[in-house]
Amino acid sequence: MSHVIDPADVRVVLMDGPTAATLAQVLPLLLLTLMVELRRVEVHRRGHSVVLTRVLLGLFFIAFGVVETVFVLSIDGEFIPFTWSDLLAALSIFALLALLFILSLLDSPEHRKLHQKE
């Protein structure tokens, strides 16, 4: 007797739901803390190549966004198939991370005023 595999019944489990839910909640807080510290020490304005620093920060945010999206999609215990609500939540978080990245590279009003006077 042969077993037939239904391709529509594919399930991919990366981790259990509680672990994914915890990581999906904790990692954005750690990212926010990291960004506050990066702003405080002005990493995005230092170094030999400010452009390279910003590109590396952008790549980090993209990688972080992908990992966070996977965790959010895995909250129900399965990465595939996912529910549409999980996908919308994951894409919303990804968009907010992109906005956070853009805002983290902007100069503060005090910094702009200081450099306009020079």
Side-chain angles (χ1 to χ4, degrees), residues 43-113:
V43 168
H44 63 287
R45 285 192 213 105
R46 293 195 297 172
H48 296 291
S49 174
V50 173
V51 173
L52 178 62
T53 303
R54 290 180 178 201
V55 167
L56 290 174
L57 281 172
L59 292 174
F60 170 76
F61 263 82
I62 290 170
F64 187 92
V66 168
V67 168
E68 184 68 18
T69 302
V70 168
F71 288 151
V72 171
L73 289 177
S74 299
I75 285 177
D76 62 356
E78 295 175 343
F79 178 63
I80 296 175
F82 53 83
T83 62
W84 289 108
S85 61
D86 288 347
L87 180 61
L88 289 175
L91 292 176
S92 298
I93 290 171
F94 198 85
L96 289 171
L97 286 173
L99 181 61
L100 178 64
F101 172 68
I102 291 167
L103 291 175
S104 71
L105 297 180
L106 295 177
D107 289 334
S108 67
E110 294 86 21
H111 189 266
R112 273 186 253 136
K113 288 178 188 176

Side-chain angles (χ1 to χ4, degrees), residues 28-38:
L29 294 174
L30 293 175
L31 177 68
L32 183 59
T33 304
L34 174 66
M35 290 314 301
V36 166
E37 289 303 311
L38 288 176

